[in-house]
CSV table of all heavy atoms in Angstrom, one decimal:
chain,number,residue,atom,x,y,z
A,906,GLU,N,106.4,122.5,112.5
A,906,GLU,CA,106.0,123.8,113.0
A,906,GLU,C,105.1,123.5,114.2
A,906,GLU,O,104.0,122.9,114.1
A,906,GLU,CB,105.2,124.6,112.0
A,906,GLU,CG,105.9,125.0,110.7
A,906,GLU,CD,107.0,126.0,111.0
A,906,GLU,OE1,106.8,126.8,111.9
A,906,GLU,OE2,107.9,126.1,110.2
A,907,PHE,N,105.5,124.0,115.4
A,907,PHE,CA,104.8,123.8,116.6
A,907,PHE,C,103.7,124.9,116.8
A,907,PHE,O,104.0,126.0,116.5
A,907,PHE,CB,105.7,123.7,117.9
A,907,PHE,CG,106.3,122.3,118.0
A,907,PHE,CD1,107.5,122.1,117.4
A,907,PHE,CD2,105.7,121.3,118.7
A,907,PHE,CE1,108.1,120.8,117.5
A,907,PHE,CE2,106.3,120.0,118.7
A,907,PHE,CZ,107.5,119.8,118.1
A,908,ILE,N,102.6,124.5,117.3
A,908,ILE,CA,101.5,125.5,117.5
A,908,ILE,C,101.7,126.3,118.8
A,908,ILE,O,101.4,127.5,118.8
A,908,ILE,CB,100.1,124.7,117.6
A,908,ILE,CG1,99.9,124.0,116.2
A,908,ILE,CG2,99.0,125.6,117.9
A,908,ILE,CD1,98.8,123.1,116.2
A,909,ALA,N,102.3,125.8,119.8
A,909,ALA,CA,102.6,126.5,121.1
A,909,ALA,C,103.5,127.7,120.8
A,909,ALA,O,104.5,127.6,120.2
A,909,ALA,CB,103.2,125.6,122.1
A,910,LYS,N,103.1,128.8,121.4
A,910,LYS,CA,103.9,130.1,121.2
A,910,LYS,C,105.3,129.8,121.9
A,910,LYS,O,105.4,129.3,123.0
A,910,LYS,CB,103.2,131.2,121.9
A,910,LYS,CG,103.9,132.5,121.8
A,910,LYS,CD,103.2,133.6,122.5
A,910,LYS,CE,104.0,134.9,122.4
A,910,LYS,NZ,103.4,136.0,123.2
A,911,ASP,N,106.3,130.1,121.1
A,911,ASP,CA,107.7,130.0,121.6
A,911,ASP,C,108.0,128.5,122.0
A,911,ASP,O,108.9,128.3,122.8
A,911,ASP,CB,108.0,130.9,122.8
A,911,ASP,CG,107.8,132.4,122.4
A,911,ASP,OD1,108.1,132.7,121.3
A,911,ASP,OD2,107.4,133.1,123.3
A,912,ASN,N,107.3,127.6,121.5
A,912,ASN,CA,107.5,126.1,121.8
A,912,ASN,C,107.4,125.9,123.3
A,912,ASN,O,108.1,125.0,123.8
A,912,ASN,CB,108.8,125.6,121.2
A,912,ASN,CG,108.8,125.7,119.7
A,912,ASN,OD1,107.8,125.8,119.0
A,912,ASN,ND2,110.0,125.6,119.1
A,913,THR,N,106.6,126.6,124.0
A,913,THR,CA,106.5,126.6,125.4
A,913,THR,C,105.0,126.3,125.9
A,913,THR,O,104.1,127.0,125.3
A,913,THR,CB,107.0,127.8,126.1
A,913,THR,OG1,108.4,128.0,125.7
A,913,THR,CG2,106.9,127.8,127.6
A,914,ILE,N,104.8,125.4,126.8
A,914,ILE,CA,103.5,125.3,127.5
A,914,ILE,C,103.7,125.7,128.9
A,914,ILE,O,104.6,125.3,129.6
A,914,ILE,CB,103.0,123.8,127.4
A,914,ILE,CG1,102.6,123.5,126.0
A,914,ILE,CG2,101.9,123.6,128.4
A,914,ILE,CD1,102.1,122.1,125.8
A,915,ASP,N,102.8,126.7,129.3
A,915,ASP,CA,102.8,127.2,130.7
A,915,ASP,C,101.7,126.5,131.5
A,915,ASP,O,100.5,126.7,131.2
A,915,ASP,CB,102.6,128.7,130.6
A,915,ASP,CG,102.8,129.4,132.0
A,915,ASP,OD1,102.9,128.7,133.0
A,915,ASP,OD2,102.8,130.6,132.0
A,916,TYR,N,102.1,125.8,132.5
A,916,TYR,CA,101.1,125.1,133.3
A,916,TYR,C,100.4,126.1,134.2
A,916,TYR,O,99.3,125.9,134.7
A,916,TYR,CB,101.8,124.1,134.3
A,916,TYR,CG,102.1,122.8,133.7
A,916,TYR,CD1,103.0,122.6,132.6
A,916,TYR,CD2,101.6,121.6,134.2
A,916,TYR,CE1,103.3,121.4,132.1
A,916,TYR,CE2,101.9,120.4,133.7
A,916,TYR,CZ,102.8,120.3,132.6
A,916,TYR,OH,103.1,119.0,132.1
A,917,GLY,N,101.0,127.3,134.4
A,917,GLY,CA,100.5,128.3,135.3
A,917,GLY,C,100.7,127.7,136.8
A,917,GLY,O,101.6,127.0,137.0
A,918,LYS,N,99.8,128.2,137.7
A,918,LYS,CA,99.9,127.7,139.1
A,918,LYS,C,98.8,126.6,139.2
A,918,LYS,O,97.6,126.9,139.0
A,918,LYS,CB,99.6,128.8,140.0
A,918,LYS,CG,100.8,129.8,140.1
A,918,LYS,CD,100.6,130.9,141.1
A,918,LYS,CE,101.8,131.8,141.1
A,918,LYS,NZ,101.8,132.7,142.3
A,919,VAL,N,99.3,125.4,139.4
A,919,VAL,CA,98.3,124.3,139.5
A,919,VAL,C,98.5,123.5,140.8
A,919,VAL,O,99.6,123.6,141.4
A,919,VAL,CB,98.6,123.3,138.3
A,919,VAL,CG1,98.2,123.9,137.0
A,919,VAL,CG2,100.0,122.8,138.3
A,920,TYR,N,97.5,122.9,141.3
A,920,TYR,CA,97.6,122.1,142.5
A,920,TYR,C,97.8,120.6,142.1
A,920,TYR,O,97.2,120.0,141.2
A,920,TYR,CB,96.3,122.2,143.3
A,920,TYR,CG,96.1,123.5,143.9
A,920,TYR,CD1,95.4,124.5,143.3
A,920,TYR,CD2,96.8,123.8,145.1
A,920,TYR,CE1,95.3,125.8,143.9
A,920,TYR,CE2,96.7,125.1,145.7
A,920,TYR,CZ,95.9,126.0,145.1
A,920,TYR,OH,95.8,127.3,145.7
Side-chain angles (χ1 to χ4, degrees):
E906 297 290 334
F907 281 91
I908 296 168
K910 182 181 177 187
D911 299 325
N912 297 343
T913 301
I914 289 182
D915 189 351
Y916 280 62
K918 292 186 179 192
V919 294
Y920 288 98

